[in-house]
Amino acid sequence: MNQEEKDNKVKETFSSNKIADKVKISNEFYRDLFFHEDNGNFVVKESMPIEANRIIINILNTLRNKQFQYGVSDESFQLDLFKKTYLEDDESYAKIVMRTADISKSRNLELTKKGLQFLVNYKQEWHTVKFYNSKGEVEKKQFYGGLIIDPTIYKGQVSFYINPYWFKKIVALANYNYVLYSLVYSVKSHKQFLFALWLNTLREDGTKVTLEYMNRTWGINYKDLRTLKKGFLDPIKKVLDKSSSFSFNSSVNGNYIGITRYQLKSIGSAAAESINLSSQDDQFKLYKLSYIKKRHNFTQKELEHLEKIFDIDFGAKFLFSNAYKNVVKRYNIARRKDKTKPLVTDIPFSALLDEIQEEVISLYSATKHAQISPKGYPIFNAPL
């Protein structure tokens, strides 16, 4: 099909000259696009030109008003509208238009072409989208191609079609994180950018990882943790300290390196906005979380960890609440049968989150959304 024929199939054309302070990135889109799974581990697929990262962020910026969030409810007007527009027709496309200056600030067309070409070829394969037809049956539709299709550069603008498989992952948000738009123009490389995105997924109390984990995940090859800290982490921290709304500390302890993210307050309104993400259900936080905090003697830091997840993921609070009830019930039943069994209030915070996470996955897998988006559940207890 030539470009004219594709244009006749275009359902919507999206462009935006307004730059948002921050954009939303679906956790599922983040994992599926940038990583591949290797024996249960998420590993960087391959290194991208930084211009490809900028194209991706500008796609998210351009589509930000098209994005919608759904929780555990199986009813979503926007999801149905997306299905009718892009999946039920024989062929349909979305077209994206952006400025070349947003990809390369120096307006270097060769670098712009390099980024576009990479995204055309990257993961260029058959992708399957599952959806429900009018009879409530699961249907499958397959699309071939990478993230973008048939880019064109003309009069200072770039236009291309977007693969519906990836388009759905961008606009249909089960859970997501915020990314500062300017971040992709501050970091030096794809791996620095991905690491910064990964920091946003960490628990409030951070994480401890091994040298093997770091080398495997980020496709690097350092001989020890101290060399990794100096050569890989410290340069990223230096960039984030100057240009982001958050940064991190790292420290080596034995065979592990501890990584803890923290917020910065010195880069203006965007930083304040990222710190003060408003909850979509204040009553839940006020009553349910206050009750849980008191019952389990959570620290303020532990409470803030949960609050952040609820702030950025509307559906998380419902899954968490139901999972928590089921875990409590399980402990109560075990206690009634055997008085030597521990009370749920005896369980440490991290261990309790592990149990709640297992229950969240179980509850989510029973919803219709799990058939369409198997990994769309919120993550409470792991970096990825």
Side-chain angles (χ1 to χ4, degrees), residues 81-99:
L81 185 61
F82 176 87
K83 177 185 68 176
K84 291 175 182 177
T85 304
Y86 292 99
L87 299 179
E88 291 185 342
D89 281 359
D90 289 339
E91 246 181 321
S92 58
Y93 293 85
K95 189 174 184 178
I96 305 289
V97 180
M98 64 181 63
R99 299 177 302 183

Side-chain angles (χ1 to χ4, degrees), residues 174-325:
N175 53 80
Y176 62 91
N177 274 295
Y178 283 95
V179 180
L180 208 63
Y181 176 89
S182 60
L183 177 65
V184 76
Y185 298 96
S186 304
V187 294
K188 305 294 185 183
S189 69
H190 172 63
K191 290 180 181 178
Q192 287 189 352
F193 178 61
L194 279 195
F195 183 83
L197 295 185
W198 177 76
L199 283 175
N200 262 341
T201 71
L202 291 183
R203 300 187 331 200
E204 290 296 322
D205 56 351
T207 188
K208 291 182 179 180
V209 291
T210 63
L211 176 66
E212 179 189 11
Y213 174 88
M214 292 295 290
N215 279 336
R216 181 185 65 233
T217 301
W218 306 111
I220 51 183
N221 187 29
Y222 286 92
K223 63 180 181 179
D224 57 62
L225 287 172
R226 296 192 184 280
T227 305
L228 181 145
K229 181 180 185 304
K230 182 177 180 181
F232 183 66
L233 295 181
D234 288 351
I236 301 176
K237 175 177 168 56
K238 186 175 181 181
V239 171
L240 295 180
D241 284 345
K242 291 181 179 179
S243 58
S244 180
S245 61
F246 64 91
S247 189
F248 68 99
N249 287 321
S250 60
S251 59
V252 176
N253 186 2
N255 295 324
Y256 293 89
I257 187 164
I259 300 172
T260 306
R261 184 190 69 251
Y262 59 85
Q263 297 287 349
L264 297 171
K265 300 180 180 180
S266 59
I267 65 167
S269 61
E273 193 173 1
S274 68
I275 296 169
N276 297 309
L277 303 177
S278 61
S279 171
Q280 297 186 52
D281 189 353
D282 290 334
Q283 292 302 309
F284 179 91
K285 287 171 61 177
L286 182 62
Y287 296 108
K288 174 66 77 174
L289 282 185
S290 295
Y291 166 75
I292 293 175
K293 177 179 183 293
K294 183 177 180 180
R295 186 180 187 193
H296 294 274
N297 294 318
F298 286 174
T299 65
Q300 185 61 31
K301 186 176 181 180
E302 290 169 341
L303 180 66
E304 289 171 356
H305 163 67
L306 293 177
E307 286 180 335
K308 181 179 180 185
I309 295 172
F310 299 140
D311 282 342
I312 63 176
D313 185 349
F314 182 76
K317 58 176 65 67
F318 303 109
L319 280 169
F320 180 90
S321 181
N322 291 332
Y324 174 76
K325 289 176 184 176

Side-chain angles (χ1 to χ4, degrees), residues 58-75:
N58 277 283
I59 291 173
L60 297 176
N61 178 70
T62 302
L63 294 176
R64 66 187 185 279
N65 294 326
K66 184 70 175 178
Q67 290 175 310
F68 61 90
Q69 191 173 13
Y70 61 92
V72 295
S73 170
D74 291 325
E75 295 182 3

Side-chain angles (χ1 to χ4, degrees), residues 105-120:
K105 294 297 185 183
S106 63
R107 301 178 188 271
N108 186 319
L109 283 184
E110 291 307 312
L111 292 178
T112 299
K113 290 176 183 178
K114 184 179 178 182
L116 290 167
Q117 185 172 335
F118 182 91
L119 291 179
V120 168

